Amino acid sequence: MDICKPLRRGLWLKLGVNETRRLGVKYERLNNFCYACGMMDHLLKECEEPWVEVDEGDTKNFPFSPDLRALLLKPNVVFPFPMNPFMGDYPEQRNL
């Protein structure tokens, strides 16, 4: 991972001649990063992007968010909700 470039929020996957889908990206053990530009060398309040106006605690109006962090689970933890709700995977319990 090149820390001199912004984080990627997603990838485009080509599924055939005329079909593409966007896949979201999640990062494990992601350090702090800027929610405005996606760079890991500074935080939002230090960002030099000219359009950034910092409102402490409000991150929903920026292109990057804490949602880029992957949920880390410990081994043998029961996952209480569906692993993949888009595929209809609704087990009562699942051991990881």
Side-chain angles (χ1 to χ4, degrees):
M1 186 164 127
D2 188 354
I3 62 169
C4 296
K5 293 183 180 179
L7 297 169
R8 295 190 72 157
R9 293 177 288 169
L11 302 169
W12 287 99
L13 180 65
K14 190 169 186 171
L15 298 175
V17 178
N18 297 323
E19 187 177 358
T20 58
R21 293 220 178 139
R22 186 180 183 282
L23 299 175
V25 174
K26 299 273 187 180
Y27 296 89
E28 292 181 357
R29 297 181 176 92
L30 182 61
N31 287 333
N32 290 331
F33 61 96
C34 178
Y35 295 155
C37 67
M39 296 297 292
M40 294 176 50
D41 63 348
H42 63 272
L43 299 176
L44 179 61
K45 61 185 173 185
E46 302 158 348
C47 190
E48 295 179 3
E49 291 291 327
W51 59 271
V52 175
E53 293 180 18
V54 178
D55 180 15
E56 293 296 325
D58 183 21
T59 60
K60 59 186 166 206
N61 295 322
F62 293 104
F64 296 87
S65 72
D67 294 338
L68 288 176
R69 288 188 172 91
L71 177 64
L72 294 177
L73 297 175
K74 297 178 183 176
N76 299 321
V77 172
V78 175
F79 210 53
F81 49 89
M83 292 298 295
N84 189 348
F86 302 107
M87 300 300 290
D89 187 7
Y90 291 94
E92 290 181 17
Q93 283 190 338
R94 174 173 275 187
N95 289 320
L96 300 176

